[in-house]
């Protein structure tokens, strides 16, 4: 018998910010809860046929698989190296109505297969991009190419996936942000003193909610160091506006102080 707080998945972080890959422990509560709120936010139903171009061992790829299956839909994985032409061909061959890809992959599609992407516009109901920076030019190009598609950008990390959502074709006035958290997730900005920062002031991003991991496999001390009460300190910096939209600034540990200015 399974309990909600039993661990159902261990998924490795990238290791790019900590120097060592660590296994984030995800409970059944987190796995089911995140799939449910992601589907609710994106309007995913059992008709979904999601072509996932990210590897299954990555948090983004695994998350998309879980969401499609949670809704009773179908997930299709693209094998081999990413190719814009192969994505277009696979979308047609597999009759996919959703595409999930990294921001860099979406840029390659827009730069190399924009006409073919536009030809699929009436077929693609949903698109989700992983966390990353999409330049304003490409955001505009994507909205023009897929005007009726629900296009989502998200912010998250392996330890707290899909913490915010931005629907590109709806929240055009907030196009430079990474969206708002769902009702299942809390998010706050704190200053260097640990106090909650006022609206519009940059600080460290902290997250709490059903999407939060339960710890690191074999690295409990490292996990404890990232906790601040109920909050997970992401190591990222951002700004919250008065409507709750998050602007992502960058990694806290990628910045240095030069003459009182953060660079």
């Amino acid at each position: 018998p399974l309990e909600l707080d039993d661990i159902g998945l261990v998924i490795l972080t990238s290791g790019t910010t900590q120097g060592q890959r660590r296994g984030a422990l995800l409970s059944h509560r987190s796995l089911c809860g995140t799939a449910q709120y992601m589907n609710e936010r994106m309007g995913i139903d059992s008709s979904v046929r999601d072509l996932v171009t990210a590897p299954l061992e990555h948090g983004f790829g695994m998350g998309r698989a879980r969401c499609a299956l949670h809704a009773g839909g179908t997930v299709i994985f693209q094998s081999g190296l990413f190719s814009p032409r192969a994505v277009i061909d696979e979308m047609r061959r597999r009759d996919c109505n959703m595409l999930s890809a990294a921001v860099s992959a979406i840029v390659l599609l827009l730069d190399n297969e924009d006409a073919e992407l536009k030809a699929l516009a009436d077929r693609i109901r949903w698109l989700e991009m992983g966390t990353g920076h999409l330049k304003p030019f490409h955001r505009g190009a994507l909205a023009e190419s897929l005007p009726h598609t629900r296009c989502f950008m998200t912010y998250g990390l392996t330890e707290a996936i899909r913490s915010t959502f931005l629907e590109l074709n709806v929240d055009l006035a907030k196009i430079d942000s990474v969206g708002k958290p769902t009702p299942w997730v809390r998010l706050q900005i704190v200053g260097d003193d640990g106090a909650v920062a006022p609206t519009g002031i940059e600080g460290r991003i902290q997250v709490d909610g059903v999407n939060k991991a339960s710890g690191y496999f074999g690295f409990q001390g490292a996990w404890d160091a990232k906790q601040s009460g109920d909050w997970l300190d992401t190591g990222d910096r951002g700004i919250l506006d008065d409507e709750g939209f998050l602007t992502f600034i960058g990694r806290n540990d990628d910045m240095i102080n030069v003459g009182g200015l953060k660079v």
Side-chain angles (χ1 to χ4, degrees):
L2 294 173
E3 300 293 336
L4 281 175
D5 291 321
D6 288 346
I7 302 304
L9 178 68
V10 182
I11 193 155
L12 291 175
T13 63
S14 66
T16 54
T17 58
Q18 297 167 326
Q20 184 172 11
R21 303 187 77 185
R22 294 172 179 171
L25 303 171
L26 300 180
S27 69
H28 291 284
R29 184 191 306 276
S30 178
L31 294 170
C32 293
T34 52
Q36 185 169 337
Y37 79 62
M38 287 163 65
N39 286 348
E40 287 179 358
R41 177 64 183 87
M42 299 174 69
I44 301 292
D45 57 38
S46 60
S47 69
V48 68
R49 291 182 59 82
D50 188 359
L51 177 63
V52 179
T53 62
L56 183 61
E57 67 269 18
H58 288 192
F60 181 67
M62 174 61 77
R64 288 289 357 124
R66 290 192 289 106
C67 288
L69 298 178
H70 191 84
T74 301
V75 59
I76 296 102
F77 283 98
Q78 184 189 29
S79 61
L81 295 175
F82 181 87
S83 160
R85 181 72 253 178
V87 168
I88 296 296
D89 291 344
E90 196 76 343
M91 290 289 291
R92 289 198 173 99
R93 189 168 74 90
R94 300 287 189 175
D95 194 27
C96 296
N97 57 15
M98 179 170 179
L99 173 62
S100 299
V103 169
S104 56
I106 296 298
V107 169
L108 285 172
L109 276 167
L110 290 170
D111 287 347
N112 295 280
E113 298 289 349
D114 188 43
E116 295 293 337
L117 194 63
K118 287 178 178 177
L120 293 173
D122 292 337
R123 177 183 298 185
I124 304 175
R125 294 176 59 187
W126 302 279
L127 181 145
E128 188 191 351
M129 290 170 279
T131 301
H133 178 65
L134 187 66
K135 294 180 180 179
F137 169 80
H138 287 113
R139 293 189 187 209
L142 185 60
E144 180 184 346
S145 297
L146 301 175
H148 309 300
T149 300
R150 299 194 68 182
C151 297
F152 291 90
M153 300 184 69
T154 61
Y155 161 76
L157 55 160
T158 308
E159 299 91 338
I161 64 171
R162 304 329 193 270
S163 293
T164 67
F165 286 82
L166 178 77
E167 188 165 359
L168 196 64
N169 293 339
V170 173
D171 300 315
L172 286 174
K174 302 291 185 176
I175 200 167
D176 292 327
S177 79
V178 289
K180 299 171 65 173
T182 75
W184 298 59
V185 176
R186 297 189 300 154
L187 191 148
Q188 67 178 13
I189 304 294
V190 299
D192 293 334
D193 59 357
V196 177
T199 298
I201 300 299
E202 180 186 329
R204 300 197 316 275
I205 302 171
Q206 294 186 341
V207 175
D208 183 40
V210 71
N211 64 333
K212 192 171 78 169
S214 301
Y216 289 135
F217 181 75
F219 287 94
Q220 190 59 42
W223 179 256
D224 292 342
K226 295 175 72 70
Q227 307 308 303
S228 178
D230 293 333
W231 297 92
L232 169 71
D233 197 309
T234 64
D236 294 332
R237 299 188 71 83
I239 300 171
L240 279 175
D241 70 12
D242 55 5
E243 295 180 67
F245 284 83
L246 173 69
T247 298
F248 174 69
I249 303 298
R251 291 289 306 176
N252 190 57
D253 48 13
D254 284 342
M255 295 192 179
I256 58 175
N257 196 305
V258 181
L261 297 176
K262 289 186 173 64
V263 180

